[in-house]
């Protein structure tokens, strides 16, 4: 019989190394203090192995995806499904003209090639949704009892908004700049902002040409198994000055989920501690958000996963 998981998100305030409670004997089973000591050792090794190339400090290395939201879009299940799938239709013309622009970093500026609004839209639009239930296969032949249909700019659409099979409607497009987390701190990056009829905020597609984007460097050392009771960080949900929200990868029946963080002036390493279930449990990885508070604002420091040693990207949702 599967045991339910008890998920706890415990804030943690650290200067260097990590804090723990309920200390147990060092030669006993892995407890919070024992796990924290193992985490500190592993984190120090990860930090020492971090050797990014020169582009980390001189180029454009985004730590977010090219499609971003600058506020709460007010998703419904249907609009979130369309956003995640990349289903769009345009009710306005998308200009093909390229424009110039530059990225403004905290430590300087960088001029890079940009894509046009039309190119950005082609990157954003990933195809059409499957037909809605009751939608006719051919115009003019409605299904009895089904939703009504009418022609739209990109084809035929239903009058119903209750099914996750409709695209998001682009009603305007403007050029601007948005804050983006990069290897050089939060930068103002040129972007195309697509106004969406069904959402409260625009969908933003960063305008930097893909050829000008430097990928996040791979870890320089292979990942080794973590000591029992430690878990890896999967990504960052949010960064707010010295406060980080981290998603840990935990087991379905893990309890006592505790964030762990280790920091130096040039790097931050994150992970977590858990108590493993002793009985039968389904093999399922869960993403559990936890919050840590650093001793100083993150700034341009990379946040590394204690398991892989790779820098974590920001995935807000």
């Amino acid at each position: 019989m599967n045991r339910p998981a008890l998920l706890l998100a415990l804030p943690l305030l650290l200067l260097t190394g990590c804090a723990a409670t309920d200390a147990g004997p060092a030669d006993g089973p892995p407890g919070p203090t024992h796990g924290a000591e193992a985490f500190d050792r592993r984190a120090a090794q990860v930090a020492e192995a971090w050797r990014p190339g020169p582009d980390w400090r001189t180029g454009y290395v985004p730590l977010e995806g090219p499609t971003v939201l600058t506020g709460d879009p007010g998703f419904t299940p249907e609009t979130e499904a369309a956003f995640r799938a990349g289903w769009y239709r345009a009710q306005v013309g998308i200009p093909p003209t390229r424009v110039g622009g530059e990225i403004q970093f905290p430590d300087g500026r960088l001029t890079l090639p940009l894509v046009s609004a039309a190119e950005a839209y082609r990157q954003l639009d990933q195809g059409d949704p499957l037909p809605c239930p009751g939608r006719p296969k051919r115009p003019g032949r409605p299904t009895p009892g089904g939703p009504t249909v009418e022609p739209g700019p990109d084809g035929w659409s239903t009058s119903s908004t209750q099914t996750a099979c409709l695209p998001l409607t682009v009603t305007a497009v403007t050029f601007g700049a948005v804050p983006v987390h990069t290897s050089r701190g939060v930068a103002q990056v040129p972007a195309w902002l697509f106004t969406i009829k069904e959402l409260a905020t625009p969908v933003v597609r960063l305008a930097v040409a893909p050829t000008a984007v430097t990928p996040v460097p791979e870890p320089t050392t292979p990942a080794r198994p973590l000591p029992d009771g430690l878990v890896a960080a999967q990504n960052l949900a949010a960064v707010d000055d010295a406060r980080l929200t981290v998603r840990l990868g935990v087991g379905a029946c893990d309890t006592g989920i505790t964030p762990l963080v280790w920091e130096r002036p040039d790097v931050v390493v994150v992970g977590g501690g858990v108590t493993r279930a002793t009985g039968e449990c389904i093999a399922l990885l869960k993403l559990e958000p936890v919050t840590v508070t650093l001793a100083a604002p993150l700034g341009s420091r990379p946040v590394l996963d204690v398991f892989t040693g790779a820098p974590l990207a920001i995935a807000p949702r």
Side-chain angles (χ1 to χ4, degrees), residues 54-59 103-110 182-188 300:
D55 286 341
W56 186 261
R57 293 300 179 196
T58 61
I103 300 175
Q104 298 183 21
F105 297 98
D107 60 356
R109 300 186 177 191
L110 181 64
T182 76
S183 62
R184 297 165 62 178
V186 178
Q188 291 293 321
S300 61

Side-chain angles (χ1 to χ4, degrees), residues 91-279:
Q91 285 189 338
V92 294
I94 309 294
T97 306
R98 295 194 179 193
V99 297
E102 64 179 13
I103 300 175
Q104 298 183 21
F105 297 98
D107 60 356
R109 300 186 177 191
L110 181 64
T111 300
L112 291 175
L114 306 180
V115 299
S116 67
E119 291 172 296
Y121 182 70
R122 283 194 293 270
Q123 296 168 358
L124 189 68
D125 186 10
Q126 297 300 305
D128 297 324
L130 296 173
C132 293
R135 176 183 291 180
K137 294 183 179 180
R138 288 190 295 169
R141 302 182 64 180
T143 301
T148 59
V149 297
E150 57 183 16
D154 294 333
W156 291 71
S157 62
T158 70
S159 62
S160 171
T161 59
Q162 299 304 311
T163 306
C165 58
L166 298 179
L168 300 176
T169 308
V170 177
T171 59
V173 56
T174 56
F175 182 73
V178 296
V180 176
H181 290 271
T182 76
S183 62
R184 297 165 62 178
V186 178
Q188 291 293 321
V189 178
W192 291 104
L193 285 72
F194 294 92
T195 301
I196 304 298
K197 178 181 179 181
E198 298 83 0
L199 301 181
T201 59
V203 171
V204 178
R205 184 74 185 188
L206 302 182
V208 179
T211 55
V213 177
T214 301
V216 174
E218 296 291 332
T220 56
T221 57
R224 295 180 291 106
L226 287 173
D228 186 43
L230 294 183
V231 295
Q234 305 297 310
N235 55 46
L236 295 173
V239 176
D240 182 11
D241 199 35
R243 187 179 177 88
L244 310 181
T245 301
V246 182
R247 293 189 181 97
L248 301 177
V250 304
C253 300
D254 289 346
T255 59
I257 300 169
T258 305
L260 299 172
V261 62
W262 186 95
E263 61 178 308
R264 292 191 323 200
D266 62 329
V267 68
V268 173
V269 183
V270 294
V274 299
T275 300
R276 299 295 189 188
T278 57

